[in-house]
Amino acid sequence: MNVFITGGTGLIGSAVVAELLGHGHTVLALARSDASAQAASAAGAEAIRGGLADLDVLRAGVAQADGVIHLAFANDFSSSRALANAVAEESAALATLGEALVGSGRPFVACSGTPAVPGRASTEADPIPTEGPVGGRGRAVRGVLGLAARGVRSSAVRLPRTVHNEGAGGFAGLLTGIARQNGVSGYPGDGAQRWPAVHAHDAAVLFRLALEQAEAGTSWHAVGDEGDQVRDIAAVIGRRLGLPVESVPVETYGPLGVIFAADQPSSSAHTRQALGWEPKHPSLLEDLENIQP
């Protein structure tokens, strides 16, 4: 397939592009800057210039594609308003991509997040959250899955709180950055809450499998580690950076504080059984050993 991808030069997207190219697909990558366009070309993809807000560019990308993978997000968590703006931008982009695919039968794989379910690990059968700081993302992805009734082979790959590679990425990466700034490797509450994780290269395999095989309207969990306690994550970060490890106020994490404090383990048992996906790369705690002081 010729695959149009948004977010193709990020930590996850670059792994997805390599996975697609390595399995005989060609890639058209949305690039919002000269640097992104150069990175896409260097990886072996064709670049199309534009950002998520450039809806005509998104339509042009779909017109050239046999399938679409969406990964781009502004990733601005500096304030509640910035986060809301990022969610709104992504929602409009997903709606535009979806409308351009209606009636085509082509695959459309969107990224989502694993849900939190009180008292147990969430599964692929659990609904994605549509309330809270990033509830708008859940509503937008629910709309993507609804395109199954309109002739789109839509699916969602739900990503855990940390998608990592070489010690960087996701919530654990944010913990590392805040630890460097504050001089303390912190965690909210008692740190017993669990976060799921996956290596970026393992996630990339699942995006390819969903593109190639997923039935319309289905959700899949890219979960390698079902749930590490956040204080254990902070302990590795603290040791690698030579910093004390301690509980810090939830407010330390801004608009994401309520999410950081939640217990949210997640299972990928159905995904592994149905699609034959099997993570092979290092676990989060192993990968965090790559953090450099």
Side-chain angles (χ1 to χ4, degrees):
M1 297 183 207
N2 186 36
V3 183
F4 177 43
I5 184 170
T6 71
T9 57
L11 181 141
I12 305 169
S14 57
V16 173
V17 168
E19 176 70 17
L20 292 171
L21 294 173
H23 285 79
H25 301 291
T26 56
V27 177
L28 176 65
L30 184 70
R32 62 183 176 184
S33 67
D34 289 340
S36 292
Q38 291 169 3
S41 297
E46 178 185 352
I48 180 171
R49 284 299 304 273
L52 275 189
D54 299 315
L55 303 185
D56 286 340
V57 176
L58 298 184
R59 295 184 188 99
V62 172
Q64 301 175 56
D66 303 306
V68 176
I69 294 177
H70 166 72
L71 285 165
F73 189 67
N75 287 324
D76 187 347
F77 306 115
S78 60
S79 68
S80 296
R81 174 171 290 184
L83 181 57
N85 289 340
V87 170
E89 179 183 69
E90 180 189 46
S91 297
L94 282 172
T96 298
L97 293 168
E99 285 297 325
L101 287 164
V102 166
S104 69
R106 286 176 283 173
F108 180 17
V109 185
C111 64
S112 182
T114 53
V117 178
R120 65 170 173 82
S122 67
T123 73
E124 296 86 346
D126 291 312
I128 50 177
T130 55
E131 303 299 330
V134 292
R137 300 193 78 184
R139 293 191 293 273
V141 172
R142 188 169 61 183
V144 169
L145 295 178
L147 293 169
R150 302 178 65 197
V152 182
R153 186 161 62 80
S154 57
S155 63
V157 171
R158 297 174 173 180
L159 296 168
R161 298 299 166 262
T162 296
V163 183
H164 56 91
N165 189 9
E166 295 297 317
F171 277 15
L174 291 174
L175 286 184
T176 302
I178 293 170
R180 291 184 190 276
Q181 293 172 8
N182 296 346
V184 172
S185 181
Y187 53 84
D190 65 5
Q193 66 271 36
R194 294 161 293 174
W195 290 353
V198 70
H199 195 284
H201 290 302
D202 289 322
V205 174
L206 183 54
F207 274 98
R208 176 181 60 80
L209 291 174
L211 180 84
E212 295 172 346
Q213 301 178 24
E215 295 183 3
T218 54
S219 295
W220 308 95
H221 278 193
V223 175
D225 307 325
E226 186 169 294
D228 291 310
Q229 290 191 328
V230 179
R231 61 190 177 210
D232 293 337
I233 297 170
V236 178
I237 294 170
R239 177 166 50 76
R240 295 298 301 166
L241 297 180
L243 297 174
V245 181
E246 60 190 55
S247 177
V248 298
V250 171
E251 293 74 25
T252 303
Y253 306 105
L256 292 179
V258 64
I259 301 175
F260 272 38
D263 187 47
Q264 46 202 296
S266 188
S267 166
S268 58
H270 171 68
T271 295
R272 298 182 192 219
Q273 187 276 326
L275 292 182
W277 178 69
E278 192 60 44
K280 298 178 180 178
H281 289 83
S283 69
L284 173 59
L285 295 181
E286 291 169 339
D287 201 19
L288 290 176
E289 296 294 343
N290 288 296
I291 294 174
Q292 298 301 310

